[in-house]
Amino acid sequence: MKKLIYAILCYVLLTISSSAQTLNPDQLRADFDRFRTALNEVHPEMYRYTPKPVFDSLFAATAAQLNRSMTQQEFYCAMNPLLVALRDGHIKWIVSGRDEHYPFATEQLFPLKLYFLNDKAWVVANYGTSTIPEGVELISINGLSIPAILQRLLPKMTFADGNRIGGKYEDLNHFFSGYYATFIGAPESFDVVYREGNEQKTLRLSPTTESAIKAYTEKHKPATQPPFRLTVTDPQTAVMTIDRFWAGKDEPDFDTFLKTSFRDIKARNVQNLILDLRNNEGGEEAWGVKLATYLSDQPFRYYDHISVRQKKKYSFPAWTPKLYVKLRWLVLKKQGEGYVFTKHRGLKKQKPNQNAYRGNLFVLINGSSFSVTTELAARLHADRRKRAGNVTFVGQETGGGYKVNSSGIFTITQLPNSKIDLGIGMFGFNMANVSGYPYADRGIIPDHLVEPTINDVVNQKDTVLDYTMKLIHSPKAALTRSN
């Protein structure tokens, strides 16, 4: 859902601004007040991961910094700890008119595509004219070691729910150059140290541009495929891949896909279904609920409740979908200090579809399994003891949180002086019957941790799928019902 919301932000609040713009303390404080008011009135789960007293201290510390003039970039970075404290991967903090990953520097960007795993980095490709071989380990950039760079960047990144870092690593794999420029610098050259075989080498690299990075990405993106597809690999095994839970008007209908696919799975008597949810950042919540009815053999509850912060009109200028504004008096109900949204399919008790799959299910996940995708994975994980067939999770921990996902409809406000857009998901989707999960700030932890190596990435080898196939066909397959 992250890319979809970004497109909406650009469409609704397209205002070009300059990072060189200087803001005086009065302007900074006005933007700070708008920011704080918006979070307090909109965010449904503001204190889930960071208690209010800690948040209040962070607000006070940030306000104290705004006693001098700042550039737009300095203000952007000064507000960053407040965004990180939300532990909400859906929060949007975007300089109007700019790509969210390249908010300031566009001409002096790091010229290598990297792959990060734990505290190391490897070269996947060259965006510019450098000749560093693919697959070599990168040791340092301009005197900073890779662990030191990660210590600088990871605490400033927001693409994660709770205390997850998997989503942050996935973001670095795609947008490291932008993060480096924003939070470390955009120098005229980059002195890199890398290890090739047993030899350590040094090379000075010229920077690249945002347009060159995007041209490379476009050229090397995978061949276009339907966003959801079913492949039967052998008489008893099938792979269902869901790239996203939304589709364009010219793409296949999701309901039709599910009906046809599960009817075929049942007719073929498939015993092992692999559900590939890797790199699926989400989409329509109702689609996750629908798919869950095809993977359950007993009635179940999907959401426990959907929290909303307030019912009255916001006290600040903002964009919110007109339909919601008109209907909020009918669909919101008071609960505790806030409200709950009452009209959603996922709040009703769900019945299994007549063609629901009951065999062994293998769910593939990673750090980019987010939003609706994590909700579905959490539902399958929480209910797996009830299924006839085993449910086994393979890959890496999800980027989204297990127990709650703050997203849905967004309210968007533009800070009046810095011209930075703040987008806040209005709904807190709290999953039903997940109290037994022992981690309050984690995602779905796989039963089998499988992390692709740099050789897998460079050679485009799907080691997670290969591992899962071995699990299925091994006489001693480690199928997991619960843990």
Side-chain angles (χ1 to χ4, degrees), residues 241-363:
T241 303
I242 310 292
D243 289 334
R244 46 184 158 85
F245 285 105
W246 59 274
K249 64 178 182 179
D250 297 325
E251 293 181 316
D253 178 75
F254 189 64
D255 284 351
T256 302
F257 167 77
L258 293 182
K259 290 177 184 178
T260 303
S261 297
F262 282 97
R263 189 182 301 128
D264 189 29
I265 288 170
K266 187 173 184 178
R268 292 174 179 270
N269 194 30
V270 169
Q271 299 299 305
N272 301 292
L273 175 62
I274 300 172
L275 178 63
D276 191 349
L277 300 177
R278 292 172 296 171
N279 303 314
N280 183 334
E281 294 184 7
E284 299 288 341
E285 289 86 7
W287 287 24
V289 180
K290 170 76 78 170
L291 179 51
T293 65
Y294 282 93
L295 298 171
S296 304
D297 52 15
Q298 295 184 34
F300 63 94
R301 293 187 64 217
Y302 199 83
Y303 297 129
D304 179 80
H305 66 279
I306 301 173
S307 59
V308 180
R309 183 61 185 157
Q310 73 177 39
K311 189 174 187 176
K312 64 183 180 180
K313 183 179 179 180
Y314 298 131
S315 66
F316 58 94
W319 176 88
T320 303
K322 292 181 179 179
L323 183 60
Y324 174 80
V325 173
K326 290 180 179 180
L327 298 179
R328 68 178 184 271
W329 302 105
L330 299 175
V331 298
L332 297 184
K333 178 182 177 181
K334 182 69 175 176
Q335 181 171 295
E337 296 182 359
Y339 292 81
V340 291
F341 187 77
T342 60
K343 303 297 182 182
H344 194 289
R345 171 180 178 163
L347 293 168
K348 301 177 181 178
K349 194 169 187 177
Q350 305 295 314
K351 295 180 180 179
N353 188 276
Q354 62 180 356
N355 288 319
Y357 173 72
R358 292 172 169 80
N360 295 322
L361 179 63
F362 297 81
V363 186

Side-chain angles (χ1 to χ4, degrees), residues 63 78 91 94 127 129 183 216 230 259 271 281 291 308 379 404 416 433 469 474 481:
I91 197 73
I94 301 175
Y127 294 128
T129 59
F183 295 111
Y216 172 90
L230 180 71
K259 290 177 184 178
Q271 299 299 305
E281 294 184 7
L291 179 51
V308 180
R379 182 77 280 129
V404 66
N433 302 320
M469 287 296 186
S474 169
R481 183 182 298 276

Side-chain angles (χ1 to χ4, degrees), residues 8-16 95-97 318-319 412-414 419-422:
I8 295 173
L9 284 168
C10 288
Y11 176 78
V12 176
L13 297 170
L14 184 60
T15 304
I16 302 298
V95 176
S96 294
W319 176 88
I412 305 166
T413 187
Q414 185 176 98
K419 306 303 180 186
I420 301 176
D421 300 334
L422 175 65

Side-chain angles (χ1 to χ4, degrees), residues 32-51:
F32 172 85
D33 289 343
R34 170 77 65 83
F35 179 99
R36 185 170 189 172
T37 298
L39 285 186
N40 284 331
E41 293 187 18
V42 181
H43 202 288
E45 301 282 342
M46 187 172 171
Y47 306 118
R48 171 168 287 273
Y49 299 112
T50 301

